[in-house]
Amino acid sequence: MGTTETDQSLRVLAEARGIGIGAAVAARPLRDEQAYRDLLAREFNMVTTENALKFGPLRPDRETFAFANADEIVDFALDHGMSVRGHTLLWHHMNPPWLKPGDFLRREWETILRDHIGTVVGRYRGKIAVWDVVNEAVRDRGDLRDSPWLSALGPDYIAMAFRLAHKADPDARLFYNDFNAEGMNPKSDAVYSLVKGLLADGVPIHGVGFQMHLASHHAPDSEDVAKNVARLNGLGLEVQITEIDVAIKGKPTEKDLQDQARIYGEMLQVCLAAKNATAFVMWGLTDGHSWIPHHRKGWGAALVFDGHYQPKPAYFALRDALD
Ligand code: G3I
């Protein structure tokens, strides 16, 4: 069906196709902007906590769990019949200053890990359906990335985290999440080996998240992505697109917007064609709420709604793919 022949939302269309469609959400606009709340509930059936559940914001000191922002996001989602992806339990980045390698003995690190995952996953048991348990543990060349967890506990920290998360909520779907591992390349090979090894050891892992931070002139080949999704299916794992955005350099031209739309549409088509691809989540709601301009100078306009909450060609490409 053509783009103007339906006024159905992404949410309605995605539900008919049996795929989750989501956006990363921040507590502040959710609290302050009616237009943000309206658009989110109309177009999406899934939300990811963008920053609220990261170790740093959540644990400013060892005794504190600052759940207020995450609670608001989770409550909003559940009130509007949406499911929640919890992001993320362990990451090398955005950790609090008190969590420093060398400051604790190994036994204390194990206690910190157990308390953190048990408390956080336990609080949202039955409410957060999917967790990014470990985020970005692999480097582009395939070895493990340095992190406080790796230096304190060794490579086994990954298996420990999944086991603790499963214990805290046996029904939650547990994901390993990373970037630049969408197509077939040394990094996705390493992620494949990692998750295969975890499964062989009986570790409770259910899926792999493909972040998909792309650019309008640079995206993975969709056949390559399909191959990677298929090999993970061979292991019995789900795949979710967890953080897609397609950044544009400078002021977007009509061609940039069309290229961006094509990439969004193609990546969604890959998911729709694969039975183990269960969600397609964008990293933010509108171009006014995207991380890109704050972190990559001169880049932006990466999402499917512009800064005035208006749909862009990429929005219609998603709708066409779902239709
Ligand atoms: O909360 C503080 C606020 O108190 C302070 O006044 C302000 C001043 O700069 O900073 C605020 O923190 C910022 C935070 O976002 C919340 O807005 C941090 O500086 C900023 O670095 C942080 O950026 C986030 C980034 O991860 C780093 O954690 C982005 O919003 C978030 O979109 C981005 O998300 C990551 C995923 O988690 C993992 N994959 C890559 C993706 C993009 O980098």
Side-chain angles (χ1 to χ4, degrees):
M1 197 181 275
T3 53
T4 53
E5 293 168 48
T6 172
D7 58 2
Q8 284 188 312
S9 65
L10 297 178
R11 177 177 184 155
V12 167
L13 296 169
E15 278 165 9
R17 299 294 299 268
I19 191 165
I21 189 102
V25 168
R28 190 180 299 164
L30 189 66
R31 198 177 298 140
D32 295 348
E33 297 173 37
Q34 183 69 42
Y36 187 97
R37 292 191 289 276
D38 292 345
L39 187 70
L40 184 65
R42 189 182 75 222
E43 296 290 343
F44 299 96
N45 60 17
M46 207 169 194
V47 305
T48 300
T49 54
E50 183 178 6
N51 289 310
L53 284 170
K54 289 175 181 170
F55 213 112
L58 195 57
R59 308 289 307 279
D61 56 65
R62 190 167 169 181
E63 287 68 42
T64 304
F65 287 84
F67 282 123
N69 285 344
D71 282 355
E72 281 187 48
I73 296 170
V74 172
D75 289 348
F76 180 89
L78 298 182
D79 286 350
H80 292 84
M82 308 160 102
S83 66
V84 184
R85 299 191 86 265
H87 175 86
T88 174
L89 295 170
L90 301 187
W91 194 19
H92 65 281
H93 187 46
M94 235 187 169
N95 288 311
W98 63 268
L99 197 72
K100 277 207 297 292
D103 278 11
F104 307 101
L105 299 171
R106 184 187 166 98
R107 236 195 3 257
E108 287 177 285
W109 278 98
E110 288 172 358
T111 305
I112 293 167
L113 188 75
R114 204 172 41 246
D115 284 352
H116 185 75
I117 295 182
T119 305
V120 177
V121 177
R123 179 184 185 87
Y124 298 109
R125 182 173 172 153
K127 293 183 167 182
I128 291 190
V130 186
W131 279 100
D132 288 332
V133 176
V134 176
N135 194 43
E136 302 174 7
V138 176
R139 293 203 296 173
D140 280 1
R141 67 179 192 202
D143 55 339
L144 285 186
R145 186 190 297 280
D146 196 17
S147 85
W149 304 106
L150 182 67
S151 35
L153 299 169
D156 204 32
Y157 85 89
I158 298 175
M160 291 166 77
F162 278 92
R163 290 201 164 99
L164 289 165
H166 184 64
K167 194 169 164 214
D169 184 353
D171 293 326
R173 307 293 290 167
L174 305 180
F175 275 61
Y176 173 77
N177 189 48
D178 216 324
F179 63 95
N180 284 355
E182 293 88 15
M184 300 293 282
N185 59 41
K187 180 163 180 177
S188 67
D189 291 348
V191 169
Y192 177 81
S193 301
L194 171 72
V195 297
K196 191 174 177 195
L198 291 171
L199 287 166
D201 290 342
V203 174
I205 175 170
H206 307 108
V208 174
F210 292 2
Q211 292 187 7
M212 281 213 178
H213 293 291
L214 310 178
S216 60
H217 66 282
H218 184 66
D221 177 65
S222 51
E223 279 180 23
D224 252 20
V225 179
K227 264 191 215 158
N228 197 21
V229 174
R231 71 172 163 172
L232 291 164
N233 188 45
L235 296 177
L237 291 173
E238 271 176 64
V239 169
Q240 299 192 338
I241 307 307
T242 53
E243 309 187 9
I244 190 169
D245 46 25
V246 182
I248 292 172
K249 190 167 186 186
K251 189 172 166 7
T253 63
E254 194 48 40
K255 178 177 183 311
D256 293 330
L257 294 172
Q258 292 304 330
D259 288 346
Q260 179 183 60
R262 180 181 46 74
I263 293 167
Y264 268 106
E266 279 177 11
M267 294 302 145
L268 181 54
Q269 291 285 7
V270 170
C271 293
L272 292 168
K275 70 174 182 351
N276 62 322
T278 52
F280 189 87
V281 179
M282 283 150 258
W283 202 242
L285 186 62
T286 79
D287 289 342
H289 303 94
S290 162
W291 68 290
I292 303 262
H294 308 286
H295 292 254
R296 294 178 67 192
K297 202 169 160 27
W299 292 77
L303 293 165
V304 306
F305 296 100
D306 70 18
H308 304 287
Y309 293 97
Q310 295 307 304
K312 294 160 62 182
Y315 169 83
F316 295 105
L318 294 184
R319 235 169 54 170
D320 283 349
L322 289 167
D323 222 355

